[in-house]
Amino acid sequence: MTQTPTAPSTRTAPAPPAPTGRSRAVLRTLAIAACLPYISLKAAWIAGSHIGVPADSMLLDHRTAMLVANGASVLLDCTVVVLALLLTQAWGRRVPAWLLTVPMWVATGLLLPIMTGFPLQLLVKVFGGTTAGSGGDGRPFLDEWVFGVVYTGFIVQGLTLGALFVLYARDRWGHLWQGTLSDLPQSPTAPALRVVAVVASLLALVPGTVHLLWATGSTAGLTETRIADRTSDFYALEAVYTVFTAVTVAGVLLLALRRRGALALKVPLALAWGGSGALGCWGGYLCIVALGPVDDIADRPAAGMQLTYAVQMLVGILVAALGAYFFAERAASTKPAGPSA
């Protein structure tokens, strides 16, 4: 009796050819190198150095809080190093999917607004816009060069880590996003998913509308301190948040309603992935910052601001959960059949 060989098409995560392997090594090196300036600065601040921090910076008002924040941010950037290694090593293929995708979703969400917002802020500055530290009560935050060094590093991290993740995900899970929306099979849970997608989209109207109002000059929901501190950087970031809200809604509705059957499946998946990460992670970050210590109760974010950030975080997490369910259901439906008896 002869044994039927296993079809090559059922094997996933093949070893990359030599040229691709060299490319990944270069990307990994760049990603890790891009982390070093940020980690070095944070480590110096933890050790007591004031490099890049003006003598009257508000950052020096709460030493303990800044130690905790700097320690947490060092751990986050060290996570980028771990991810860069995981995405380029053989052992990374054996890591459970959730243990990789959750930190990658967080990294994507935190880096994307910086990758888009910082260049926009620089462009606005070229045309005479005001930047952080040039408005409000006049107290400086950080020296100007710190933003350039740190955010440039973040952009390089985002580009290289994103490229590595796309290559990794293509090898391991590429079959899950092949085809178009019309290729998706009918699912008994599709109606429920559509309802949740619509609910998430309606909730997104809250942060989307508020960020749009703030981007266009409205002071609704802002504290007097925040109004006084607004610069061109503020307006640019609010515009970025508005765009990511629209991107999230577009991605989740395209995926749930499937009106554009000829559209490649990877398009709404990418929109939902990036948009939900930006909303969820920055919404969560802003909620945490709102709970931080302040010298004057008037400096604490107003209830409207906190509500906006909370709903923004909720929308991001809800869309991410829908995406996780979609992939789990699709993986189950595309799982290769076992060998015949």
Side-chain angles (χ1 to χ4, degrees):
M1 178 181 295
T2 60
Q3 185 176 6
T4 302
T6 302
S9 60
T10 62
R11 298 182 62 85
T12 58
T20 304
R22 287 195 294 270
S23 298
R24 298 185 197 207
V26 171
L27 289 170
R28 177 182 62 208
T29 301
L30 289 174
I32 294 174
C35 297
L36 297 181
Y38 185 74
I39 293 176
S40 299
L41 271 175
K42 292 290 184 173
W45 293 342
I46 291 174
S49 171
H50 291 172
I51 180 174
V53 182
D56 55 344
S57 172
M58 62 185 69
L59 293 177
L60 302 177
D61 293 345
H62 304 281
R63 173 66 178 167
T64 301
M66 289 311 302
L67 283 174
V68 173
N70 286 330
S73 54
V74 166
L75 290 177
L76 282 175
D77 221 36
C78 286
T79 303
V80 174
V81 176
V82 175
L83 288 172
L85 294 172
L86 186 154
L87 293 170
T88 53
Q89 302 293 326
W91 55 265
R93 301 290 179 88
R94 299 188 293 272
V95 172
W98 68 268
L99 194 56
L100 169 63
T101 54
V102 171
M104 270 305 309
W105 179 76
V106 173
T108 302
L110 291 176
L111 291 173
L112 267 181
I114 295 175
M115 295 169 66
T116 53
F118 185 58
L120 178 60
Q121 290 173 335
L122 292 179
L123 181 62
V124 171
K125 184 179 179 181
V126 169
F127 289 96
T130 55
T131 58
S134 60
D137 60 5
R139 294 188 66 190
F141 186 66
L142 289 170
D143 289 340
E144 189 72 20
W145 66 265
V146 175
F147 293 101
V149 170
V150 169
Y151 287 160
T152 299
F154 284 157
I155 292 173
V156 175
Q157 289 176 40
L159 292 173
T160 53
L161 198 64
L164 287 173
F165 180 64
V166 169
L167 293 171
Y168 176 101
R170 184 191 63 187
D171 291 343
R172 184 171 177 179
W173 303 302
H175 62 287
L176 298 181
W177 66 62
Q178 298 302 316
T180 65
L181 289 175
S182 60
D183 296 328
L184 293 175
Q186 292 297 322
S187 169
T189 61
L193 293 178
R194 290 191 189 100
V195 171
V196 177
V198 171
V199 170
S201 300
L202 292 175
L203 285 174
L205 290 175
V206 176
T209 301
V210 173
H211 286 306
L212 178 60
L213 288 173
W214 290 343
T216 53
S218 174
T219 59
L222 296 175
T223 61
E224 292 184 4
T225 300
R226 195 69 186 95
I227 293 172
D229 286 343
R230 288 180 304 169
T231 64
S232 298
D233 287 350
F234 170 85
Y235 297 115
L237 284 178
E238 293 305 322
V240 167
Y241 290 140
T242 304
V243 170
F244 276 112
T245 303
V247 164
T248 305
V249 172
V252 73
L253 287 182
L254 283 170
L255 195 60
L257 303 180
R258 305 177 188 178
R259 297 293 186 185
R260 299 290 298 275
L263 185 66
L265 180 58
K266 60 186 176 183
V267 173
L269 287 174
L271 294 176
W273 170 274
S276 67
L279 291 187
C281 296
W282 276 97
Y285 170 78
L286 292 170
C287 283
I288 294 173
V289 170
L291 299 176
V294 293
D295 294 323
D296 188 342
I297 192 65
D299 293 336
R300 188 172 297 281
M305 297 172 66
Q306 297 185 48
L307 178 62
T308 299
Y309 304 148
V311 176
Q312 175 178 324
M313 177 180 64
L314 176 62
V315 171
I317 293 174
L318 189 57
V319 173
L322 284 173
Y325 187 89
F326 171 85
F327 276 115
E329 186 176 56
R330 186 157 171 80
S333 65
T334 59
K335 184 178 298 183
S340 58

